[in-house]
Amino acid sequence: MKKEIIHVCCYSAQGSMKYTIDMRLFEGKKVIELIDDLSNGPIAKITNMKKKN
């Protein structure tokens, strides 16, 4: 069974991530973009996506 790689990145990086996957520089088929820039810390700790530190 082959595992599917899903990349999680901030919204501003999603275009670059999709390009690297299309060019086969990274493995994977799916990119999930988050609105925030992940400066709030780990995803499990984010309580409000609109609030930045």
Side-chain angles (χ1 to χ4, degrees), residues 8-47:
V8 178
C9 62
C10 60
Y11 183 77
S12 62
Q14 58 100 8
S16 298
M17 183 62 73
K18 287 180 180 179
Y19 176 79
T20 59
I21 291 171
D22 289 344
M23 297 304 293
R24 301 182 194 268
L25 299 172
F26 286 171
E27 291 184 43
K29 293 185 179 179
K30 188 170 187 177
V31 177
I32 297 174
E33 342 40 75
L34 298 179
I35 296 169
D36 195 43
D37 64 3
L38 302 178
S39 65
N40 286 319
I43 294 170
K45 302 284 185 181
I46 295 175
T47 57

